[in-house]
Amino acid sequence: MSIEIRIEEERDYRNVENLIRESFWNVYRPGCMEHYVVHCFRNDPAYIKELGFVMEEDGVLIGQAMYCRSEIKLDSGETLPAITLGPICIANDKKRTGYGKILLDATIEKAKSLGFGAIINEGNIDFYGKSGFVQAKSKGILYADDPEADYLLVLELKKGYLDGVHGTWADPEGYFCCEKDPEGFASYEASFPYKEKLKLTGQLF
Ligand SMILES: CC(C)(COP(=O)(O)OP(=O)(O)OC[C@H]1O[C@@H](n2cnc3c(N)ncnc32)[C@H](O)[C@@H]1OP(=O)(O)O)[C@@H](O)C(=O)NCCC(=O)NCCS
């Protein structure tokens, strides 16, 4: 079997959004929003096209990952540029078979090669930790909405980039497109085949 990780092209957009919808559906909340976030985010100035990836196995889409620019607000008043990963997902029938780590590691290498200093995002340390992420608060960076959060994770891409850092990080504005435009989200969602929204234990919202 042949795996290819490549930059997303316009012809991939709908397939990618469908993959995200299938992969995130009922995982963190009844239904999901991540497919609409990606749909809107590609036009956001913070979106990094060079870090928008698809993963294919024998030409079939099985994964995606995207990044945007974000910043750490330092206690000194300055800002430190960073990048934020998400969403990243793997097709349901391929989850937990190693593809996510392969994809994540490939995106990290590319981000390093482009000269970015650090990746910061919310996530599960059980997955991200295997690729070197640590709790952001251990590096002096607190989540603006929940300073105690241990699910804000960071990975230094340039050695020493986070040395001596004290500050906070907030979600990029582009992540809130569903809340800002509920009608747009509803009509977008209606363009997909119906799926049942379920309230399941373990969901975050
Ligand atoms: C999260 C996700 C991208 C991980 O990809 P994956 O291919 O399933 O993960 P891998 O098989 O590469 O996992 C590598 C290791 O990470 C850890 N891991 C992965 N997913 C995990 C999860 N949901 N919970 C706990 N640990 C997890 C495990 O330690 C795993 O190793 P193991 O299976 O040998 O125990 C994928 O499961 C997915 O698409 N989930 C739904 C969407 C999502 O939650 N995306 C991330 C948030 S943006």
Side-chain angles (χ1 to χ4, degrees):
M1 278 186 283
S2 126
I3 299 286
E4 188 189 2
I5 296 170
R6 62 170 174 82
I7 298 299
E8 181 192 59
E9 295 173 22
E10 205 168 333
R11 66 183 161 95
D12 300 310
Y13 288 0
R14 183 70 180 185
N15 284 343
V16 165
E17 290 163 32
N18 193 52
L19 175 83
I20 293 169
R21 182 174 181 259
E22 292 292 329
S23 181
F24 276 89
W25 195 261
N26 291 335
V27 172
Y28 295 106
R29 68 181 79 235
C32 68
M33 294 174 160
E34 285 78 0
H35 51 319
Y36 190 58
V37 170
V38 167
H39 180 74
C40 300
F41 218 165
R42 293 194 193 93
N43 300 317
D44 191 302
Y47 179 64
I48 307 170
K49 201 170 167 29
E50 300 78 13
L51 293 177
F53 298 95
V54 294
M55 183 184 213
E56 292 176 326
E57 185 180 65
D58 296 333
V60 175
L61 181 69
I62 60 160
Q64 69 67 232
M66 64 161 271
Y67 285 81
C68 65
R69 290 185 174 75
S70 67
E71 55 188 31
I72 298 157
K73 286 199 190 314
L74 302 179
D75 294 351
S76 65
E78 290 166 50
T79 58
L80 185 68
I83 58 173
T84 292
L85 167 63
I88 177 171
C89 79
I90 294 295
N92 286 331
D93 62 343
K94 302 285 179 186
K95 281 176 179 166
R96 300 301 288 265
T97 51
Y99 291 97
K101 182 167 186 338
I102 293 170
L103 176 58
L104 176 58
D105 288 347
T107 72
I108 291 169
E109 284 313 308
K110 180 70 181 177
K112 258 187 207 166
S113 77
L114 292 175
F116 291 108
I119 305 174
I120 182 162
N121 49 261
E122 294 159 67
N124 184 338
I125 193 71
D126 292 340
F127 173 58
Y128 288 99
K130 295 210 161 129
S131 294
F133 283 75
V134 296
Q135 289 181 350
K137 63 184 178 185
S138 76
K139 293 282 186 184
I141 307 160
L142 305 182
Y143 187 30
D145 290 347
D146 179 7
E148 292 304 311
D150 51 14
Y151 51 83
L152 184 66
L153 309 177
V154 71
L155 176 69
E156 207 175 55
L157 299 175
K158 280 185 192 163
K159 200 167 162 26
Y161 192 74
L162 299 174
D163 283 359
V165 161
H166 290 281
T168 58
W169 178 89
D171 292 287
E173 274 299 303
Y175 278 7
F176 299 104
C177 63
C178 299
E179 290 85 346
K180 283 183 185 157
D181 180 18
E183 284 168 15
F185 176 41
S187 70
Y188 170 80
E189 175 56 29
S191 72
F192 289 87
Y194 173 79
K195 281 177 86 72
E196 189 180 3
K197 292 182 183 176
L198 296 174
K199 179 97 198 106
L200 303 174
T201 48
Q203 287 172 342
L204 301 176
F205 307 103

PDB file of all heavy atoms in Angstrom, residues 142-159:
ATOM      1  N   LEU A 142      -0.075  29.833  29.500  1.00  0.00           N
ATOM      2  CA  LEU A 142      -1.384  29.439  30.021  1.00  0.00           C
ATOM      3  C   LEU A 142      -2.458  29.686  28.978  1.00  0.00           C
ATOM      4  O   LEU A 142      -2.346  30.608  28.166  1.00  0.00           O
ATOM      5  CB  LEU A 142      -1.709  30.232  31.288  1.00  0.00           C
ATOM      6  CG  LEU A 142      -0.683  30.159  32.419  1.00  0.00           C
ATOM      7  CD1 LEU A 142      -1.176  30.951  33.634  1.00  0.00           C
ATOM      8  CD2 LEU A 142      -0.391  28.704  32.814  1.00  0.00           C
ATOM      9  N   TYR A 143      -3.505  28.851  29.017  1.00  0.00           N
ATOM     10  CA  TYR A 143      -4.644  29.018  28.114  1.00  0.00           C
ATOM     11  C   TYR A 143      -5.466  30.188  28.641  1.00  0.00           C
ATOM     12  O   TYR A 143      -5.893  30.176  29.804  1.00  0.00           O
ATOM     13  CB  TYR A 143      -5.453  27.717  28.111  1.00  0.00           C
ATOM     14  CG  TYR A 143      -6.568  27.639  27.106  1.00  0.00           C
ATOM     15  CD1 TYR A 143      -6.506  28.316  25.896  1.00  0.00           C
ATOM     16  CD2 TYR A 143      -7.690  26.862  27.365  1.00  0.00           C
ATOM     17  CE1 TYR A 143      -7.533  28.217  24.971  1.00  0.00           C
ATOM     18  CE2 TYR A 143      -8.726  26.753  26.442  1.00  0.00           C
ATOM     19  CZ  TYR A 143      -8.637  27.438  25.248  1.00  0.00           C
ATOM     20  OH  TYR A 143      -9.657  27.355  24.340  1.00  0.00           O
ATOM     21  N   ALA A 144      -5.706  31.192  27.800  1.00  0.00           N
ATOM     22  CA  ALA A 144      -6.369  32.421  28.261  1.00  0.00           C
ATOM     23  C   ALA A 144      -7.738  32.123  28.877  1.00  0.00           C
ATOM     24  O   ALA A 144      -8.122  32.745  29.867  1.00  0.00           O
ATOM     25  CB  ALA A 144      -6.512  33.395  27.097  1.00  0.00           C
ATOM     26  N   ASP A 145      -8.475  31.151  28.300  1.00  0.00           N
ATOM     27  CA  ASP A 145      -9.843  30.880  28.764  1.00  0.00           C
ATOM     28  C   ASP A 145      -9.890  29.982  29.991  1.00  0.00           C
ATOM     29  O   ASP A 145     -10.954  29.835  30.606  1.00  0.00           O
ATOM     30  CB  ASP A 145     -10.644  30.163  27.657  1.00  0.00           C
ATOM     31  CG  ASP A 145     -10.927  31.101  26.508  1.00  0.00           C
ATOM     32  OD1 ASP A 145     -10.727  32.310  26.685  1.00  0.00           O
ATOM     33  OD2 ASP A 145     -11.331  30.619  25.436  1.00  0.00           O
ATOM     34  N   ASP A 146      -8.778  29.325  30.323  1.00  0.00           N
ATOM     35  CA  ASP A 146      -8.768  28.334  31.397  1.00  0.00           C
ATOM     36  C   ASP A 146      -7.313  28.128  31.833  1.00  0.00           C
ATOM     37  O   ASP A 146      -6.647  27.182  31.404  1.00  0.00           O
ATOM     38  CB  ASP A 146      -9.370  27.013  30.847  1.00  0.00           C
ATOM     39  CG  ASP A 146      -9.374  25.906  31.879  1.00  0.00           C
ATOM     40  OD1 ASP A 146      -9.043  26.168  33.052  1.00  0.00           O
ATOM     41  OD2 ASP A 146      -9.713  24.764  31.508  1.00  0.00           O
ATOM     42  N   PRO A 147      -6.830  29.050  32.683  1.00  0.00           N
ATOM     43  CA  PRO A 147      -5.398  29.044  33.028  1.00  0.00           C
ATOM     44  C   PRO A 147      -4.895  27.722  33.615  1.00  0.00           C
ATOM     45  O   PRO A 147      -3.706  27.424  33.522  1.00  0.00           O
ATOM     46  CB  PRO A 147      -5.273  30.182  34.048  1.00  0.00           C
ATOM     47  CG  PRO A 147      -6.434  31.076  33.771  1.00  0.00           C
ATOM     48  CD  PRO A 147      -7.538  30.196  33.284  1.00  0.00           C
ATOM     49  N   GLU A 148      -5.803  26.943  34.199  1.00  0.00           N
ATOM     50  CA  GLU A 148      -5.365  25.677  34.801  1.00  0.00           C
ATOM     51  C   GLU A 148      -5.260  24.563  33.753  1.00  0.00           C
ATOM     52  O   GLU A 148      -4.830  23.445  34.063  1.00  0.00           O
ATOM     53  CB  GLU A 148      -6.362  25.236  35.877  1.00  0.00           C
ATOM     54  CG  GLU A 148      -6.401  26.134  37.110  1.00  0.00           C
ATOM     55  CD  GLU A 148      -5.026  26.266  37.742  1.00  0.00           C
ATOM     56  OE1 GLU A 148      -4.376  25.234  37.946  1.00  0.00           O
ATOM     57  OE2 GLU A 148      -4.616  27.408  38.002  1.00  0.00           O
ATOM     58  N   ALA A 149      -5.693  24.834  32.527  1.00  0.00           N
ATOM     59  CA  ALA A 149      -5.839  23.772  31.518  1.00  0.00           C
ATOM     60  C   ALA A 149      -4.547  22.990  31.314  1.00  0.00           C
ATOM     61  O   ALA A 149      -3.483  23.581  31.100  1.00  0.00           O
ATOM     62  CB  ALA A 149      -6.282  24.381  30.190  1.00  0.00           C
ATOM     63  N   ASP A 150      -4.677  21.664  31.387  1.00  0.00           N
ATOM     64  CA  ASP A 150      -3.495  20.853  31.072  1.00  0.00           C
ATOM     65  C   ASP A 150      -3.610  20.297  29.653  1.00  0.00           C
ATOM     66  O   ASP A 150      -2.734  19.557  29.206  1.00  0.00           O
ATOM     67  CB  ASP A 150      -3.275  19.750  32.109  1.00  0.00           C
ATOM     68  CG  ASP A 150      -4.510  18.936  32.367  1.00  0.00           C
ATOM     69  OD1 ASP A 150      -5.457  19.039  31.554  1.00  0.00           O
ATOM     70  OD2 ASP A 150      -4.545  18.208  33.380  1.00  0.00           O
ATOM     71  N   TYR A 151      -4.688  20.676  28.944  1.00  0.00           N
ATOM     72  CA  TYR A 151      -4.869  20.203  27.567  1.00  0.00           C
ATOM     73  C   TYR A 151      -4.354  21.198  26.535  1.00  0.00           C
ATOM     74  O   TYR A 151      -4.479  20.968  25.338  1.00  0.00           O
ATOM     75  CB  TYR A 151      -6.353  19.884  27.299  1.00  0.00           C
ATOM     76  CG  TYR A 151      -7.294  20.997  27.685  1.00  0.00           C
ATOM     77  CD1 TYR A 151      -7.524  22.065  26.834  1.00  0.00           C
ATOM     78  CD2 TYR A 151      -7.927  20.985  28.929  1.00  0.00           C
ATOM     79  CE1 TYR A 151      -8.373  23.096  27.202  1.00  0.00           C
ATOM     80  CE2 TYR A 151      -8.771  22.013  29.307  1.00  0.00           C
ATOM     81  CZ  TYR A 151      -8.993  23.063  28.437  1.00  0.00           C
ATOM     82  OH  TYR A 151      -9.829  24.093  28.810  1.00  0.00           O
ATOM     83  N   LEU A 152      -3.775  22.315  27.002  1.00  0.00           N
ATOM     84  CA  LEU A 152      -3.085  23.190  26.051  1.00  0.00           C
ATOM     85  C   LEU A 152      -1.664  22.658  25.916  1.00  0.00           C
ATOM     86  O   LEU A 152      -0.932  22.553  26.904  1.00  0.00           O
ATOM     87  CB  LEU A 152      -3.081  24.647  26.526  1.00  0.00           C
ATOM     88  CG  LEU A 152      -2.448  25.608  25.508  1.00  0.00           C
ATOM     89  CD1 LEU A 152      -3.283  25.680  24.235  1.00  0.00           C
ATOM     90  CD2 LEU A 152      -2.272  27.003  26.099  1.00  0.00           C
ATOM     91  N   LEU A 153      -1.303  22.319  24.692  1.00  0.00           N
ATOM     92  CA  LEU A 153      -0.035  21.614  24.443  1.00  0.00           C
ATOM     93  C   LEU A 153       0.858  22.445  23.541  1.00  0.00           C
ATOM     94  O   LEU A 153       0.375  23.225  22.715  1.00  0.00           O
ATOM     95  CB  LEU A 153      -0.318  20.258  23.793  1.00  0.00           C
ATOM     96  CG  LEU A 153      -1.349  19.377  24.498  1.00  0.00           C
ATOM     97  CD1 LEU A 153      -1.583  18.092  23.699  1.00  0.00           C
ATOM     98  CD2 LEU A 153      -0.905  19.040  25.926  1.00  0.00           C
ATOM     99  N   VAL A 154       2.152  22.233  23.677  1.00  0.00           N
ATOM    100  CA  VAL A 154       3.088  23.006  22.865  1.00  0.00           C
ATOM    101  C   VAL A 154       4.249  22.124  22.429  1.00  0.00           C
ATOM    102  O   VAL A 154       4.621  21.171  23.136  1.00  0.00           O
ATOM    103  CB  VAL A 154       3.576  24.250  23.669  1.00  0.00           C
ATOM    104  CG1 VAL A 154       4.496  23.857  24.801  1.00  0.00           C
ATOM    105  CG2 VAL A 154       4.254  25.258  22.781  1.00  0.00           C
ATOM    106  N   LEU A 155       4.776  22.439  21.265  1.00  0.00           N
ATOM    107  CA  LEU A 155       5.976  21.755  20.765  1.00  0.00           C
ATOM    108  C   LEU A 155       6.928  22.818  20.239  1.00  0.00           C
ATOM    109  O   LEU A 155       6.580  23.592  19.341  1.00  0.00           O
ATOM    110  CB  LEU A 155       5.611  20.781  19.634  1.00  0.00           C
ATOM    111  CG  LEU A 155       6.800  20.085  18.961  1.00  0.00           C
ATOM    112  CD1 LEU A 155       7.468  19.097  19.917  1.00  0.00           C
ATOM    113  CD2 LEU A 155       6.359  19.361  17.693  1.00  0.00           C
ATOM    114  N   GLU A 156       8.127  22.836  20.801  1.00  0.00           N
ATOM    115  CA  GLU A 156       9.150  23.755  20.325  1.00  0.00           C
ATOM    116  C   GLU A 156       9.733  23.200  19.030  1.00  0.00           C
ATOM    117  O   GLU A 156      10.130  22.036  18.983  1.00  0.00           O
ATOM    118  CB  GLU A 156      10.245  23.828  21.405  1.00  0.00           C
ATOM    119  CG  GLU A 156      11.002  25.095  21.432  1.00  0.00           C
ATOM    120  CD  GLU A 156      11.974  25.131  22.613  1.00  0.00           C
ATOM    121  OE1 GLU A 156      12.807  24.208  22.744  1.00  0.00           O
ATOM    122  OE2 GLU A 156      11.881  26.078  23.387  1.00  0.00           O
ATOM    123  N   LEU A 157       9.759  24.021  17.995  1.00  0.00           N
ATOM    124  CA  LEU A 157      10.336  23.570  16.723  1.00  0.00           C
ATOM    125  C   LEU A 157      11.777  24.043  16.575  1.00  0.00           C
ATOM    126  O   LEU A 157      12.592  23.396  15.935  1.00  0.00           O
ATOM    127  CB  LEU A 157       9.502  24.097  15.543  1.00  0.00           C
ATOM    128  CG  LEU A 157       8.041  23.636  15.491  1.00  0.00           C
ATOM    129  CD1 LEU A 157       7.309  24.321  14.344  1.00  0.00           C
ATOM    130  CD2 LEU A 157       7.942  22.124  15.339  1.00  0.00           C
ATOM    131  N   LYS A 158      12.046  25.225  17.152  1.00  0.00           N
ATOM    132  CA  LYS A 158      13.419  25.761  17.173  1.00  0.00           C
ATOM    133  C   LYS A 158      13.900  25.653  18.601  1.00  0.00           C
ATOM    134  O   LYS A 158      13.226  26.154  19.521  1.00  0.00           O
ATOM    135  CB  LYS A 158      13.413  27.244  16.799  1.00  0.00           C
ATOM    136  CG  LYS A 158      13.321  27.551  15.344  1.00  0.00           C
ATOM    137  CD  LYS A 158      13.450  29.079  15.164  1.00  0.00           C
ATOM    138  CE  LYS A 158      13.068  29.476  13.767  1.00  0.00           C
ATOM    139  NZ  LYS A 158      12.792  30.910  13.660  1.00  0.00           N
ATOM    140  N   LYS A 159      15.054  25.052  18.776  1.00  0.00           N
ATOM    141  CA  LYS A 159      15.560  24.854  20.137  1.00  0.00           C
ATOM    142  C   LYS A 159      15.704  26.196  20.863  1.00  0.00           C
ATOM    143  O   LYS A 159      16.264  27.145  20.296  1.00  0.00           O
ATOM    144  CB  LYS A 159      16.918  24.140  20.064  1.00  0.00           C
ATOM    145  CG  LYS A 159      17.306  23.463  21.341  1.00  0.00           C
ATOM    146  CD  LYS A 159      18.471  22.509  21.136  1.00  0.00           C
ATOM    147  CE  LYS A 159      19.179  22.125  22.412  1.00  0.00           C
ATOM    148  NZ  LYS A 159      18.472  22.167  23.643  1.00  0.00           N
TER     149      LYS A 159
END
